[in-house]
Amino acid sequence: MKAIQLREFGGPEQLRLEEVPIPTPGDHEVRLRVHVAGLNFTDLGQREGRLLGTPPLPFIPGLEAAGVIDAVGSAVQGLASGMRVVALLPNQGAFAEYALAPASALLPIPAAVSFEQAVALPSQAPTALLGLRVGARLQAGESVFIPSAAGGVGTLLVQLARTLGASRVIGGASSAPKRALVTRLGADAAVDTTQPDWPARVREATGGRGADVVFVSGGAEAGARGLHALAARGRLVLFGAESMFDSQWSREQMMGLVAQNQSIAGFATFTLPLEERQAALREALSRVEAGALRVVVGQTFPLADVASAHQALAARTTTGKAIIHVGA
């Protein structure tokens, strides 16, 4: 089978298309014929070898896969060849024509949901849903600001924040077309996050008080500015791989945090129980099936051009979910 192999940590040029053996499922595993795979910032960090949990070299990258079951292990029950399924793969391997997954990691794809829609959800949907419920502890009537609102998680956060009770949703994006998308998804306002005064624009959009919840995934600078957009008693939620780096705060920022009874909350889905994450993914699939949640699929790339996909995601030129087309 054709697969992307990473043999050395480094830049996108290390992602090479090779011919490798088709894997055989273990007793509790399922083999997928992969149709599409999802791309995440985690993939970039693991390619560079800077994230905990990165597999030993060499390995086939890719966390999210959607496709059709091709074979099942002897102990697998309730799943059969031919079923359309989606999974977050705990051991990577999605950037290949065939991939293995524990049976517990799979969920059936509803008939009305496409492979492309489904693969946009395993990582992003639990982050958005549980980020609002567990990380932010969002209360009805509160306001939410999402700085990267045109990305894979951000497009879901904009929609779900309203569904879960937010009275006002403000999105941030780096270009006019992205800000137009954010408002089409239901945001009350969209601000230009390339401008240094964007915290002031968030305050304007919230009547001068700031947002009750601010989601940040872009590191220390975004977090520091997010504090300036935060209301008294507000929560700054740090999520995603990039939020873990260079997170130093000034004495002035810490004093303001204390004085205004604000809090900083870290949030990560990978430490939550599998059952909780799967329930969130199942809920998201149901919302998409019912037409209550729109999945924004942005750029798509062939398997042979995964390196270009990595470059586009790193440059933040993608909108919504970036997807790798693997097979028919």
Side-chain angles (χ1 to χ4, degrees):
M1 71 172 184
K2 292 181 173 61
I4 297 295
Q5 282 272 24
L6 184 69
R7 297 189 178 276
E8 294 183 38
F9 294 125
E13 71 279 359
Q14 300 296 340
L15 298 163
R16 298 190 175 102
L17 186 66
E18 299 182 2
E19 195 74 27
V20 301
I22 296 175
T24 300
D27 292 346
H28 298 276
E29 290 183 316
V30 168
R31 185 172 69 205
L32 303 184
R33 177 69 169 91
V34 180
H35 284 235
V36 290
L39 184 64
N40 299 280
F41 278 101
T42 300
D43 295 309
L44 275 62
Q46 293 193 335
R47 185 201 72 223
E48 296 170 353
R50 60 185 173 87
L51 291 185
L52 293 174
T54 298
L57 295 170
F59 68 91
I60 298 171
L63 292 166
E64 297 163 306
V68 175
I69 293 178
D70 175 73
V72 299
S74 59
V76 174
Q77 297 182 350
L79 296 172
S81 295
M83 291 180 63
R84 300 168 71 245
V85 292
V86 64
L88 186 67
L89 307 181
N91 299 313
Q92 309 278 330
F95 297 164
E97 291 180 314
Y98 294 88
L100 298 181
S104 59
L106 299 175
L107 283 180
I109 301 174
V113 178
S114 69
F115 287 123
E116 290 79 6
Q117 289 173 314
V119 85
L121 298 174
S123 177
Q124 275 77 11
T127 298
L129 271 168
L130 300 176
L132 288 162
R133 288 171 172 155
V134 178
R137 295 179 175 83
L138 180 67
Q139 302 297 310
E142 291 187 319
S143 58
V144 177
F145 174 57
I146 303 138
S148 301
V153 176
T155 52
L156 299 178
L157 279 171
V158 168
Q159 300 171 77
L160 293 169
R162 180 78 74 198
T163 300
L164 298 181
S167 62
R168 193 158 185 78
V169 179
I170 304 99
S174 59
S175 68
K178 287 185 177 183
R179 291 191 291 277
L181 169 65
V182 169
T183 54
R184 288 198 302 272
L185 291 174
D188 298 287
V191 303
D192 184 353
T193 48
T194 66
Q195 300 300 310
D197 66 344
W198 64 255
R201 304 288 80 80
V202 176
R203 289 192 170 275
E204 287 178 4
T206 53
R209 63 183 301 273
D212 297 299
V213 174
V214 174
F215 282 91
V216 173
S217 62
E221 183 179 356
R225 291 191 178 181
L227 279 176
H228 293 298
L230 197 62
R233 302 189 182 188
R235 286 92 69 203
L236 184 74
V237 181
L238 302 177
F239 72 99
E242 295 303 313
S243 71
M244 302 176 191
F245 299 101
D246 301 323
S247 53
Q248 297 180 3
W249 306 87
S250 70
R251 177 181 174 84
E252 179 184 2
Q253 289 165 343
M254 290 296 97
M255 290 178 66
L257 187 79
V258 172
Q260 297 193 70
N261 299 292
Q262 297 166 328
S263 60
I264 299 173
F267 177 74
T269 55
F270 67 86
T271 55
L272 297 177
L274 175 64
E275 295 78 10
E276 191 172 6
R277 287 180 277 139
Q278 291 292 74
L281 176 55
R282 191 177 295 108
E283 177 182 342
L285 286 166
S286 296
R287 289 178 182 271
V288 173
E289 181 184 28
L293 182 65
R294 176 184 169 188
V295 173
V296 178
V297 174
Q299 289 176 264
T300 60
F301 302 83
L303 181 63
D305 204 16
V306 166
S308 293
H310 273 234
Q311 291 170 334
L313 191 63
R316 298 184 182 270
T317 59
T318 61
T319 298
K321 181 71 173 182
I323 287 177
I324 310 300
H325 275 279
V326 179

